[in-house]
Amino acid sequence: MTDEGATVEMRPIGFVRSPHRDKADIPKGPGAEHHAEGTLELRPELEAGLQDIEGFSHLFVLWVFDRSEGYELVSQVPLDLETPHGVFASRSPRRPNAIGLSVVELLGREGRSLRVRGLDMLDGTPILDIKPYLSGVPAEKLRRGWVAEAEERRKQKGQVP
């Protein structure tokens, strides 16, 4: 077991260049789709780490909710306004460690910049890591927990997801 008082320091590997300038610009809630295009710009000394990335269609991006303050362990989320959910069962930005995870489509690479589609991050967001999107979980084995239940309730009420 590790020391509960331990700290972890990380330095951003780069920053997001996004058309989203304000939190209100980012689609949220039922049916939210992310089509915004922008770039992931890495620090110059890390450019070599992008070697061979062009062969992947999608990327995981780990980033920091750098404009989020505090956290709530249980809260209402836009996808389900009827039932509160735990922060670790949601994508809430108000987390004990303000780390975000997104999947983006890789459109191309220009030096140390990756052109991507599907941004749900604000302009200037610090990037912690980038990994190729690989999933070995077959679709029929995926479970969506409370999200599937909330979508079914909305459908029964005639609300479009």
Side-chain angles (χ1 to χ4, degrees):
M1 181 177 269
T2 61
D3 178 9
E4 291 184 25
T7 60
V8 176
E9 291 186 34
M10 291 188 210
R11 181 175 177 211
I13 64 168
F15 296 89
V16 175
R17 297 298 165 228
S18 167
H20 301 307
R21 303 284 189 256
D22 186 79
K23 295 175 193 177
D25 297 341
I26 301 172
K28 297 173 199 64
E33 295 184 7
H34 302 282
H35 300 291
E37 294 185 16
T39 59
L40 308 178
E41 295 182 2
L42 270 62
R43 294 195 332 252
E45 69 272 21
L46 301 177
E47 182 177 344
L50 293 174
Q51 181 176 323
D52 300 322
I53 202 163
E54 297 91 336
F56 296 94
S57 65
H58 290 77
L59 305 170
F60 283 117
V61 182
L62 287 155
W63 48 278
V64 178
F65 284 105
D66 62 318
R67 285 156 257 193
S68 181
E69 294 180 14
Y71 65 89
E72 295 176 348
L73 293 177
V74 177
S75 66
Q76 300 293 130
V77 296
L79 188 59
D80 185 5
L81 297 175
E82 293 182 25
T83 308
H85 298 284
V87 69
F88 303 122
S90 78
R91 295 183 53 86
S92 170
R94 301 198 57 198
R95 317 183 70 76
N97 288 315
I99 298 171
L101 172 67
S102 297
V103 175
V104 297
E105 180 182 3
L106 179 59
L107 302 175
R109 175 184 169 199
E110 296 164 11
R112 61 187 179 94
S113 294
L114 301 176
R115 288 183 300 105
V116 297
R117 178 183 299 125
L119 290 174
D120 60 353
M121 301 157 254
L122 294 172
D123 188 58
T125 295
I127 302 167
L128 296 176
D129 203 359
I130 298 170
K131 300 176 184 289
Y133 177 85
L134 302 171
S135 178
V137 180
E140 65 273 4
K141 293 204 176 212
L142 285 175
R143 294 183 326 190
R144 300 180 65 230
W146 65 263
V147 173
E149 296 166 8
E151 288 174 342
E152 184 59 32
R153 280 196 308 270
R154 291 182 61 78
K155 187 188 299 182
Q156 289 174 0
K157 291 180 179 180
Q159 298 171 330
V160 180

